[in-house]
Amino acid sequence: MIATDELVKRVRRLLNEAEEDTRLSLLSEDTRSIGEHIKRVLPQAVALVQKNKAPGTGNVNPKSLDAGSTVIVDCGDGTGQLVLPEDFVSLVSLRLHGWKRPCLQLHAEGSAEALAQHNIHTRAGVCRPVCAEGVNADGSRSIMLSPLPAVPRVDHFVYEAAFDSAKGLAGCDSILADAVTYYCAALVYSVFERQDQVNAFISLATLLCNGKSIERR
């Protein structure tokens, strides 16, 4: 886990190095509040890495849901629904007891894969279960689970969560952690309308999201 204060220090370091290279400085009154600017955009920076990282590069801020407290609702058509946590961003792995393998992909609501689960002849089996996005009657986000075992119980449920400054950044390797700091630096510079630095940091963050390490200064 990387504490939020540590992430702020890393972003500050990047900003200071960039200022030394360009022989420019941020306004003094803005410099005093730079830490607050960084903290404000850190959740967005984490979300950008979660969205843009290449497949197979790892997870960013993964979180495991307590299987024992997870409630699955039987929809009566061979599928079930599980309400998503409020901080859910993307699925890492979900498996029910009775499934032969976990779901590693969350299909979009209304997709061909999702619609097929409402037909007994096209529904997925325990060897290749399907998870799809859904919405409950109360409007809350959920996952449609197919097929639904006779006794539905969650074996494990791991997902990438939105960034919480009180908890810091978890489960992230050094390359993706660097991507977060570079995206964050880009977002800070966008506040000050420094597009040249924004573009430079986004280019470096993109390389990191693709698993390519960059030379540290």
Side-chain angles (χ1 to χ4, degrees):
M1 191 274 289
I2 305 175
T4 297
D5 287 346
E6 173 60 24
L7 290 171
V8 171
K9 289 179 183 178
R10 294 185 185 186
V11 177
R12 273 185 175 275
R13 192 176 306 123
L14 290 178
L15 297 173
N16 290 338
E17 289 171 353
E19 291 306 304
E20 290 171 1
D21 286 348
T22 57
R23 301 181 184 278
L24 295 172
S25 60
L26 301 175
L27 297 176
S28 59
E29 60 266 28
D30 291 325
T31 303
R32 287 195 295 269
S33 63
I34 197 70
E36 293 306 312
H37 284 298
I38 294 171
K39 289 181 180 179
R40 191 176 301 118
V41 299
L42 260 174
Q44 187 178 350
V46 173
L48 284 168
V49 177
Q50 290 171 328
K51 177 182 178 182
N52 296 322
K53 63 186 174 66
T57 54
N59 300 314
V60 178
N61 216 37
K63 187 175 181 180
S64 182
L65 201 65
D66 180 15
S69 62
T70 305
V71 178
I72 299 174
V73 177
D74 188 340
C75 297
D77 60 355
T79 68
Q81 275 191 324
L82 186 157
V83 176
L84 287 171
E86 291 185 0
D87 61 351
F88 179 89
V89 174
S90 62
L91 179 65
V92 174
S93 180
L94 193 160
R95 181 171 182 170
L96 302 185
H97 285 280
W99 285 0
K100 300 298 183 182
R101 65 176 67 181
C103 278
L104 305 178
Q105 179 181 4
L106 184 61
H107 295 283
E109 183 181 14
S111 64
E113 292 83 359
L115 294 174
Q117 307 317 307
H118 299 292
N119 186 314
I120 192 172
H121 301 293
T122 58
R123 185 179 303 152
V126 295
C127 292
R128 298 187 66 182
V130 167
C131 291
E133 295 182 58
V135 179
N136 284 351
D138 62 1
S140 57
R141 294 189 304 161
S142 66
I143 291 182
M144 179 184 68
L145 309 165
S146 179
L148 188 67
V151 183
R153 289 184 297 126
V154 173
D155 178 70
H156 69 259
F157 180 16
V158 183
Y159 64 96
E160 289 186 323
F163 179 74
D164 183 345
S165 60
K167 297 179 180 178
L169 186 64
C172 198
D173 69 16
S174 60
I175 292 179
L176 291 179
D178 282 346
V180 170
T181 60
Y182 277 90
Y183 265 128
C184 191
L187 291 168
V188 170
Y189 269 121
S190 69
V191 173
F192 300 107
E193 299 183 353
R194 294 277 297 281
Q195 197 58 44
D196 55 338
Q197 294 294 354
V198 171
N199 294 338
F201 280 123
I202 287 179
S203 295
L204 293 170
T206 300
L207 288 174
L208 291 162
C209 282
N210 283 286
K212 299 178 181 178
S213 60
I214 57 177
E215 184 178 350
R216 295 177 182 271
R217 304 180 193 216

